[in-house]
Amino acid sequence: MTALRDRVTDLGLIGRDFLTIHDYAPAEIGALLDLAVELKAAQKRGEAHALLAGRSVGMIFTKTSTRTRISFEVGIAQLGAQPLFLNANDIQLRVGETLKDTGHVLSRYLDAIMIRTFAHADVVDLAASATIPIINGLTDDHHPCQAMADALTVREHCGGLEGRKLVYSGDGNNVANSLAEVGAKTGMHVVICTPDDYRPDEAIVARARADAAQTGATIELTRDLRAAVRGADVIYTDTFTSMGQEAEHDVRLAALRAYQVNDELLALAGPQARLMHCLPAHWGEEITEAALYSPQSVIFDQAENRLHAQKAVMAALIG
Ligand code: CP
Ligand code: NVA
């Protein structure tokens, strides 16, 4: 335990925020993934690793969640800290208290805050006012904790990250943005397949491509899903309609239907391809039930890895 604590301190990440993957150097992402592997192994062996004993971590949600809420809450408890679930509807944020004031106040009680909300700028603002680490639990533009769990899952199922080909199919959303960023930091070949109108954010892709130059990664955008999936190590999809876009559901479904991941696409990719999805899934839209439960799917391992990856992030940032 002392050795583990010393290694966590040596990472030099105490006090940092975790807003996007881009903010972290390739070596830092690698070290966080190594720590996640170590914490996962310790948990499987039943060893205590209460690195955050006596601490408190708040979790603010203005959007719904199953995995993020529960994996954070359980992860905080496994690290020996106290989790506080703060539904934005139940705190003064709902009636207009600003994020700035909230950040100042919560910094006097808590050791870190995880926040899930709409505008990425709100999370940046909270981080500016808070004096404790802020962890992004999903915004309209980024889902970095998901990307860490995804990288851990690829590492486990594909024997590493460098040189692996990950093909994302569907909407160029927050999950796609963070996958491009984590691919860039870890030397993966990320191919994002979308119709032209659903491409990921141009500035985020440009930034990821600049990062990719340091690691040998590539970030490619294409319409041609069928050509892209051949020989892929990973096929990845996410909902066509993200939280906040519900009114566009029918238009999006029509525009993105051809990007569904199903048995036919998996066959085209080949038996080596692993299937990933951040969940929640919408059977019959971006993925079929058969594909989700196929032998190629590692989706539930991926969901589990949220727990381990986020524990590493919290342990390293809170220290
Ligand atoms: N993947 C993910 O973030 O799931 P939740 O929306 O259930 O938290
Ligand atoms: N893109 C999805 C991810 C959910 C975890 C959304 O933002 O709703």
Side-chain angles (χ1 to χ4, degrees):
M1 180 71 185
T2 311
L4 181 57
R5 181 176 300 285
D6 289 346
R7 277 206 300 290
V8 170
T9 309
D10 288 346
L11 294 178
L13 300 177
I14 294 174
R16 293 265 301 268
D17 297 314
F18 196 74
L19 306 190
T20 73
I21 297 284
H22 169 74
D23 299 335
Y24 281 74
E28 292 171 337
I29 296 292
L32 285 169
L33 292 172
D34 289 344
L35 179 59
V37 168
E38 193 168 351
L39 290 175
K40 182 172 182 176
Q43 193 218 358
K44 302 286 179 196
R45 289 193 300 268
E47 282 171 23
H49 45 276
L51 291 163
L52 300 180
R55 309 298 189 88
S56 301
V57 180
M59 306 182 296
I60 301 176
F61 285 87
T62 71
K63 287 176 172 169
T64 52
S65 169
T66 296
R67 280 141 291 271
T68 304
R69 175 174 175 182
I70 295 159
S71 58
F72 264 100
E73 194 156 340
V74 168
I76 292 163
Q78 287 180 5
L79 289 168
Q82 174 193 16
L84 289 95
F85 173 67
L86 306 169
N87 184 328
N89 282 327
D90 300 333
I91 57 178
Q92 302 290 18
L93 272 177
R94 182 172 68 86
V95 288
E97 185 166 20
T98 62
L99 271 170
K100 182 174 181 179
D101 294 353
T102 305
H104 277 281
V105 171
L106 294 186
S107 297
R108 302 296 179 105
Y109 306 133
L110 300 171
D111 296 286
I113 299 170
M114 190 285 300
I115 178 166
R116 163 171 289 196
T117 194
F118 292 86
H120 189 73
D122 284 348
V123 175
V124 174
D125 284 352
L126 180 67
S129 63
T131 55
I132 54 177
I134 301 299
I135 299 171
N136 178 357
L138 179 146
T139 62
D140 291 344
D141 298 331
H142 295 275
H143 200 356
C145 293
Q146 181 68 55
M148 292 301 287
D150 298 343
L152 180 59
T153 309
V154 174
R155 197 168 133 160
E156 289 174 345
H157 282 280
C158 303
L161 289 158
E162 217 175 301
R164 304 305 185 276
K165 179 181 180 186
L166 183 151
V167 177
Y168 177 91
S169 177
D171 181 29
N173 60 16
N174 43 11
V175 168
N177 290 340
S178 290
L179 277 172
E181 291 195 348
V182 87
K185 297 287 182 179
T186 59
M188 296 178 72
H189 301 302
V190 179
V191 187
I192 300 179
C193 307
T194 69
D196 289 346
D197 292 344
Y198 292 87
R199 288 187 160 201
D201 184 276
E202 252 177 53
I204 292 173
V205 170
R207 209 168 72 168
R209 283 183 169 148
D211 286 343
Q214 299 170 40
T215 63
T218 56
I219 313 295
E220 186 187 334
L221 308 186
T222 176
R223 268 181 238 113
D224 195 348
L225 173 63
R226 282 174 166 65
V229 294
R230 288 175 209 275
D233 296 295
V234 177
I235 298 177
Y236 195 125
T237 191
D238 179 24
T239 184
F240 294 155
T241 306
S242 286
M243 290 179 274
Q245 300 172 332
E246 290 76 5
E248 299 170 25
H249 173 268
D250 294 354
V251 175
R252 291 178 155 271
L253 186 56
L256 290 156
R257 202 183 288 280
Y259 291 81
Q260 183 187 75
V261 175
N262 51 35
D263 286 345
E264 185 240 323
L265 194 78
L266 289 179
L268 203 58
Q272 80 296 335
R274 300 283 168 267
L275 173 59
M276 295 176 63
H277 187 311
C278 61
L279 300 176
H282 306 79
W283 296 353
E285 296 190 10
E286 78 279 2
I287 194 167
T288 59
E289 180 189 1
L292 202 166
Y293 284 94
S294 77
Q296 284 170 265
S297 169
V298 297
I299 289 171
F300 298 108
D301 289 345
Q302 179 187 2
E304 177 186 330
N305 278 339
R306 292 293 302 277
L307 173 69
H308 309 298
Q310 290 158 189
K311 282 169 67 180
V313 170
M314 288 188 284
L317 270 48
I318 301 170

